[in-house]
């Protein structure tokens, strides 16, 4: 005797249940992280998601982290690391004060520079470093139930270039960015695999606002949502990523926001020149600040200004004094030839207390290797270098200076080092 067919209603119910089960298995969001990082501790995070270029990730969450915190991604300079960015900026102390989470990405390739040049990096979801950083953001948002409307990115030098790239690739992820001494999105683009673009670095790539804006829009074709706000900072005497790049960034991001090149607001806080485009308030669509300094434009207090632009801290208001001076001032004088250079570095103690034993850390540009030095011992010979005092010059009274130097080989980039810090605190 044949088995009777089940009733159609029973079969439909079974199929519906199966559909629900499949949806739960394949369409559900990824599970949340097992646990946040220990409070008030700079901690490495592993297994955070897609990471095609093998980046490393550190995170910092204050003990008083907000219920639905903002997330700030802090991107280090070329030759630096997440640890350098943690030690050389004030985002940790600001997080303690305002309750947001900080993500510190770190490059693992030998140059310690971010990929801001490859076609993969300049396309949403194309691969390379931006994909890994986006995964870090996703981890932070999921782990801390973060406010997705308050995700921001800031960076210095190569990290500033990556800030431009991330806002172009992921306009739906980041609400705003602050770039200290960077270049426009796609300015560093290359097709031969090189990480360095001399034309862009030298400020000779000049485009119309429309052309710059089209490069950003081309990173995410078809996107029609709101664009992140952008704050750009640059030193007028920058000899690594020259000052014309500042004007090209302004062209690009004003065009992306559909604005003209005419500022809505101009002032001179702390001797800087600040212009705002699209509105006069401290959260204008585009804000640009030029400083009478070189490539090391970032100084203590500027991180707080970036957070004001993000909307995370109160407006300091007119007449606010200059950011506090760093513990040191550094001047660097490079003399270069075809494959070599010498650099004379003068370190001045600008603090009010004496220094007894010093370590001056800095980052050599990619391709430079120290062959010998004087006035200090240098280790390692490339990348993030520490110069340690000699026995005869260990003491520096307030206002006193010491001059040291080194000879190095280079492969084409003879620029001065960046990211100077005295005993772990960034120089002004």
């Amino acid at each position: 005797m044949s088995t009777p067919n089940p009733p159609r209603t029973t079969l439909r119910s079974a199929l519906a249940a199966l559909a629900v089960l499949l949806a739960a298995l394949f369409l559900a969001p990824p599970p949340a992280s097992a646990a946040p990082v220990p409070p008030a501790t700079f901690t490495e995070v592993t297994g955070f998601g897609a990471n095609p270029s093998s980046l490393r990730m550190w995170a910092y969450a204050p003990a008083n982290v907000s219920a639905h915190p903002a997330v700030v991604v802090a991107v280090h300079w070329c030759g630096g690391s997440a640890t350098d960015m943690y030690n050389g900026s004030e985002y940790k102390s600001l997080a303690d004060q305002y309750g947001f989470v900080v993500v510190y990405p770190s490059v693992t390739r030998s140059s310690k520079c971010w990929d801001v040049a490859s076609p993969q990096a300049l396309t949403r979801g194309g691969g390379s470093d931006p994909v890994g950083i986006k995964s870090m953001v996703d981890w932070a948002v999921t782990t801390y139930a973060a406010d997705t409307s308050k995700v921001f990115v800031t960076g210095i030098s190569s990290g500033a270039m990556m800030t431009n790239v991330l806002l172009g690739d992921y306009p739906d992820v980041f609400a705003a960015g602050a770039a200290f001494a960077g270049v426009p999105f796609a300015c560093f683009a290359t097709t031969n695999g090189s990480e360095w673009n001399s034309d862009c670095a030298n400020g000779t790539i000049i485009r119309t606002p429309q052309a710059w804006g089209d490069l950003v829009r081309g990173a995410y074709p078809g996107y029609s949502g709101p664009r992140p706000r952008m704050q750009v900072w640059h030193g007028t005497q920058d000899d690594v990523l020259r000052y014309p790049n500042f004007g090209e960034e302004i062209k690009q991001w004003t065009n992306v926001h559909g604005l003209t090149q005419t500022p809505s607001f101009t002032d001179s806080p702390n001797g800087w020149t600040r212009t705002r485009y699209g509105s006069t308030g401290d959260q204008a669509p585009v804000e640009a600040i030029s400083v009478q300094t070189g490539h090391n434009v970032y100084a203590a207090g500027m991180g707080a200004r970036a957070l004001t632009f993000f909307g995370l801290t109160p407006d300091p208001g007119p007449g606010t004094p200059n950011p506090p001076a760093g513990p040191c001032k550094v001047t660097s004088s490079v003399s270069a030839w075809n494959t070599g250079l010498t650099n004379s570095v003068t370190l001045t103690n600008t603090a009010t207390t004496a220094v007894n034993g010093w370590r001056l850390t800095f980052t050599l540009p990619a391709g430079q290797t120290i062959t010998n030095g004087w006035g200090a011992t240098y280790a390692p010979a490339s990348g993030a270098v520490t110069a340690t005092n000699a026995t005869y010059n260990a003491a520096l009274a307030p206002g006193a200076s010491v001059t040291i130097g080194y000879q190095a080989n280079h492969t084409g980039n003879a620029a001065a080092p960046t990211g100077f810090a005295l005993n772990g605190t960034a120089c002004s």
Side-chain angles (χ1 to χ4, degrees):
M1 186 174 66
S2 62
T3 302
N5 292 326
R8 292 183 180 180
T9 54
T10 303
L11 181 60
R12 283 197 296 268
S13 299
L15 290 174
L18 179 61
V20 170
L21 176 62
L22 290 174
L25 290 173
F26 296 108
L27 300 181
S33 170
V37 297
T41 305
F42 181 63
T43 305
E44 184 170 8
V45 176
T46 59
F48 50 82
N51 185 19
S53 55
S54 301
L55 303 179
R56 296 175 72 181
M57 172 189 175
W58 275 260
Y60 180 83
N64 63 333
V65 64
S66 301
H68 297 286
V71 175
V72 174
V73 181
V75 192
H76 67 73
W77 50 90
C78 185
S81 67
T83 301
D84 293 332
M85 190 68 177
Y86 174 78
N87 291 325
S89 63
E90 69 260 44
Y91 297 108
K92 177 263 183 193
S93 60
L94 290 166
D96 288 338
Q97 187 174 358
Y98 294 103
F100 58 86
V101 174
V102 192
V103 169
Y104 296 91
S106 201
V107 172
T108 57
R109 64 178 61 88
S110 60
S111 67
K112 297 294 192 287
C113 298
W114 296 99
D115 177 12
V116 294
S118 74
Q120 293 78 18
L122 298 172
T123 304
R124 176 187 176 83
S128 196
D129 298 347
V131 169
I133 295 175
K134 166 63 163 54
S135 296
M136 298 178 196
V137 170
D138 291 343
W139 178 93
V141 167
T142 300
T143 302
Y144 289 95
D147 186 340
T148 56
S149 70
K150 294 181 179 179
V151 177
F152 308 96
V153 58
T154 182
I156 301 170
S157 192
S158 181
M161 298 191 227
M162 179 52 70
T163 297
N164 278 267
V165 169
L166 289 169
L167 295 196
D169 286 356
Y170 296 104
D172 54 335
V173 173
F174 296 97
F180 293 83
V183 302
F185 177 96
C187 183
F188 244 60
T190 58
T191 57
N192 59 2
S194 173
E195 294 179 28
W196 187 259
N197 185 320
S198 294
D199 290 338
C200 178
N202 290 330
T204 61
I205 296 181
I206 307 299
R207 293 189 170 102
T208 65
Q210 182 69 35
W212 280 124
D214 287 345
L215 289 170
V216 171
R217 288 181 284 270
Y220 187 4
Y223 177 74
S224 59
R227 292 283 176 174
R229 296 178 298 106
M230 176 56 116
Q231 182 188 65
V232 293
W233 299 70
H234 221 98
T236 58
Q237 303 161 42
D238 193 326
D239 59 357
V240 178
L241 301 172
R242 294 189 181 272
Y243 188 60
N245 283 301
F246 178 65
E248 299 305 295
E249 283 181 290
I250 294 171
K251 285 184 189 177
Q252 183 169 71
W253 292 102
T254 51
N255 181 266
V256 165
H257 282 277
L259 305 172
T260 70
Q261 309 301 295
T262 303
S264 302
F265 174 88
T266 302
D267 69 348
S268 299
N270 313 296
W272 309 330
T273 299
R274 178 170 62 183
T275 52
R276 291 170 174 166
Y277 303 83
S279 75
T280 61
D282 53 59
Q283 294 176 48
V286 179
E287 182 173 80
I289 304 165
S290 62
V291 183
Q292 297 290 326
T293 190
H295 185 59
N296 296 325
V297 66
Y298 182 90
M302 291 181 177
R305 301 282 175 148
L307 294 186
T308 295
F309 178 75
F310 293 165
L312 298 181
T313 63
D315 181 0
T320 302
N322 286 329
C328 58
K329 177 182 178 181
V330 174
T331 60
S332 181
S333 178
V334 175
S335 298
W337 56 94
N338 289 344
T339 59
L341 61 86
T342 60
N343 187 16
S344 178
V345 178
T346 298
L347 165 66
T348 302
N349 177 12
T350 57
T352 58
T353 57
V355 173
N356 293 299
W358 51 263
R359 293 174 297 104
L360 181 66
T361 54
F362 54 86
T363 301
L364 290 178
Q368 290 189 17
T369 303
I370 294 175
T371 56
N372 61 78
W374 52 93
T377 56
Y378 300 84
S382 61
V385 176
T386 298
T388 303
N389 64 267
T391 55
Y392 64 85
N393 62 10
L396 281 176
S401 298
V402 61
T403 298
I404 62 175
Y406 59 84
Q407 184 172 345
N409 295 328
H410 69 84
T411 57
N413 181 6
T418 59
F420 289 100
L422 174 62
N423 293 343
T425 303
C427 298
S428 60

